[in-house]
Amino acid sequence: MLTRKQHELLIYINNHIANQGTSPSFDEMKDALDLKSKSGIHRLIMGLEERGFIRRLPHRARALEVVRMPETAAVGTNPRKPARNRKFTPNIIQGDFTHALHGTPVTTTHESVELPLYGKIAAGTPIEALRNPDRIEVPGAMLGRGEHYALEVEGDSMIDAGILDGDTVVIQRCETAENGTIVVALIEDTEVTLKRLRRKGASVALEPANKKYETRIFGPDQVQIQGKVVGLMRQFS
């Protein structure tokens, strides 16, 4: 899953390379997505690169290569390969964590608690959550007071904290958290990510646990805490 803007940018880059033979400039991408600054494009490219959809070609200025296309590509295309002169119709699942944060009840059993499972959250880059949750049973001893929900992790930016791609994290709803806590962070009311929280003065840093990825700095009004990680489950094949 990608955010709408990530999906739009990936399709634009893919079509531009197919039609022009070169990747678009930052200004061209900014205009195509109707963004106000190139910093937004840089953030989207970082996200696509972290997720393995594109890669930057070494020793070539702003040269990008599309590695794979999302599974939401139009019928008739191979979602694992970049398109060649084909048009794609976005089919993005949009949503947010509103349902997870407003008193969703939990059903308890003697040994487990049933929680809403709100799709995937990116440990490498923000993505959108599924609007309609599944349900998952978690050990009751894993939970504290208050409301909880679960998310499936996608990405590898928290691997040094022991959170791997495919893990399920249990989240306790909260609006504040101490420095160093791994949190679910809503960025600018549109994107959600799983990162370690660091506050420095008036700035909010969202810190990965993988040296491949950069710490991102935001203003205090750009980030809203939607919960903190209190448990993790992993399935072994």
Side-chain angles (χ1 to χ4, degrees):
M1 290 168 55
L2 298 173
T3 66
R4 180 175 58 84
K5 285 297 185 183
Q6 287 171 341
H7 197 285
E8 288 178 1
L9 180 60
L10 180 60
I11 292 174
Y12 176 72
I13 293 172
N14 190 63
N15 287 342
H16 193 282
I17 293 173
N19 296 326
Q20 306 295 329
T22 60
S23 55
S25 68
F26 271 55
D27 284 326
E28 288 172 326
M29 289 185 278
K30 177 176 68 69
D31 293 341
L33 270 67
D34 195 27
L35 296 180
K36 295 181 179 179
S37 69
K38 289 187 285 188
S39 63
I41 293 297
H42 176 70
R43 179 161 56 89
L44 292 172
I45 287 177
M46 284 178 56
L48 291 171
E49 186 178 22
E50 290 174 1
R51 297 285 302 286
F53 286 94
I54 65 173
R55 64 173 166 234
R56 306 187 202 209
L57 300 179
H59 312 301
R60 295 175 60 182
R62 66 174 178 82
L64 303 173
E65 179 183 9
V66 177
V67 178
R68 65 187 177 98
M69 294 298 291
E71 294 180 359
T72 49
V75 174
T77 63
N78 186 336
R80 298 189 178 275
K81 293 184 179 180
R84 294 291 182 265
N85 293 312
R86 291 185 177 183
K87 301 294 184 180
F88 287 84
T89 302
N91 182 24
I92 301 299
I93 300 173
Q94 299 187 37
D96 53 38
F97 291 98
T98 303
H99 306 276
L101 299 177
H102 291 284
T104 303
V106 298
T107 303
T108 61
T109 66
H110 290 294
E111 298 181 352
S112 64
V113 175
E114 189 176 88
L115 297 179
L117 175 63
Y118 284 89
K120 296 181 178 180
I121 185 169
T125 181
I127 60 176
E128 293 168 334
L130 291 171
R131 182 176 296 276
N132 298 313
D134 293 322
R135 310 292 291 186
I136 187 172
E137 287 191 354
V138 305
M142 188 178 292
L143 308 180
R145 295 182 178 180
E147 300 167 12
H148 296 77
Y149 58 97
L151 296 166
E152 183 181 346
V153 175
E154 185 173 55
D156 64 355
S157 76
M158 298 303 291
I159 58 174
D160 291 340
I163 301 176
L164 309 182
D165 182 61
D167 286 349
T168 297
V169 287
V170 178
I171 308 298
Q172 181 183 40
R173 177 191 172 187
C174 63
E175 296 179 355
T176 62
E178 297 179 356
N179 273 353
T181 303
I182 299 175
V183 300
V184 176
L186 174 65
I187 302 171
E188 297 180 339
D189 294 324
T190 58
E191 300 177 337
V192 183
T193 189
L194 187 73
K195 291 292 183 290
R196 195 179 298 278
L197 177 69
R198 302 285 186 190
R199 287 192 177 90
K200 300 179 181 179
S203 298
V204 177
L206 298 179
E207 180 181 276
N210 186 332
K211 293 181 180 179
K212 293 193 304 182
Y213 303 132
E214 299 177 2
T215 296
R216 302 169 64 196
I217 308 297
F218 297 93
D221 297 329
Q222 293 179 290
V223 177
Q224 177 186 343
I225 305 303
Q226 295 198 317
K228 63 181 180 181
V229 175
V230 295
L232 181 146
M233 298 188 298
R234 182 173 300 152
Q235 182 175 352
F236 294 93
S237 55

